[in-house]
Amino acid sequence: MVDQEQLAQQFEEHRSHLRAVAYRMLGSVSEADDAVQETWLRLARSDISDVVNLRGWLTTVVSRVCLDALRSRKAKREESLDIHVPDPVVTRLDDDPASAAERADEVTLAMLVVLDALNPRERMAFVLHDMFGVPFDAIGQIVDTTPANATQLASRARRRVRATPPPVADLATQRRVLEAFTSAAERGDFEALVEVLDPDVTLRADAGPGGASRVIRGAALVASQAAAFRRSGHEQVQIPVLVNGVVGLLSLRDGRPVSVFSPVIRGGRIVEINIVADPARLTGIDLYDLT
């Protein structure tokens, strides 16, 4: 038997991997941390003397914890019409974009929005196989199906993901386009806003339970919303940051986070905007290295 101190040391070696798996599964920083903690508790009360691959064992456990959480969440959301944007991972936008991107989470908010639309088993199969290279026989055991069915689950999810291409602009281009958008919004320049937006742009804003969450589609409507917001006199400080590895904005009022703005940029235009303005979730952003 491995004593608890040795077990804890071994677990810490895999914590970042487990958190990455859980975050991609759940799209929630707090729920991912809870899943990792539950995985530790299950490890601490298990006999792993016959476990050859501890990383694989822990990945299986955290995946099952996440699958239970996804199923519970799906049941709750079917009763709700709330618009949901996953939790952002906000990091500093350094002078060296390459090193900043390495420290940011690799999965964008736009990707997490797509993953949220999958059913729990499809999401599980896609994340484990396509993002972490887990074989389908292991995935089948986790989701209680055959390897062939697990392969089909991942294939269906992959088609959904491919229907939403990832951002292709480099960080310098992203920053230039975002600055053009914010400058136009500051001036209330409707025509300039429309010019920087894709005609079919989608804006998705999650203000939390009871908030003014909404989805807006089309360049004219999104531009009108942006211009109206600036005219309304909301005094905010906007800080350029990386949001899940993509250039975005963190807005502060009286030194407190009020929103995270994450655009998707392709072909020199903004094709999608995801905004998190849920006060409960924004309190988890560490401002120490950002301001």
Side-chain angles (χ1 to χ4, degrees), residues 98-143:
S99 64
E102 287 175 1
R103 291 199 303 272
D105 202 286
E106 294 178 354
V107 60
T108 65
L109 279 188
M111 170 65 82
L112 289 171
V113 168
V114 175
L115 294 180
D116 264 357
L118 304 175
N119 72 48
R121 297 206 309 166
E122 288 175 345
R123 183 171 188 166
M124 184 75 54
F126 176 81
V127 168
L128 289 178
H129 183 266
D130 286 44
M131 294 184 174
F132 294 98
V134 177
F136 285 119
D137 56 347
I139 295 172
Q141 292 177 12
I142 294 170
V143 300

Side-chain angles (χ1 to χ4, degrees), residues 205-276:
D206 179 356
S213 299
R214 58 199 178 278
V215 174
I216 301 172
R217 294 183 173 87
L221 289 176
V222 172
S224 296
Q225 183 71 25
F229 179 80
R230 300 310 304 174
R231 289 196 302 269
S232 65
H234 289 76
E235 293 299 327
Q236 297 183 8
V237 175
Q238 293 185 324
I239 303 171
V241 292
L242 286 177
V243 183
N244 294 59
V246 177
V247 174
L249 294 171
L250 171 65
S251 294
L252 306 177
R253 184 184 299 129
D254 299 327
R256 296 180 180 179
V258 292
S259 69
V260 173
F261 179 102
S262 179
V264 178
I265 296 168
R266 299 190 200 101
R269 288 186 170 184
I270 297 174
V271 299
E272 181 178 335
I273 298 170
N274 290 295
I275 300 173
V276 178

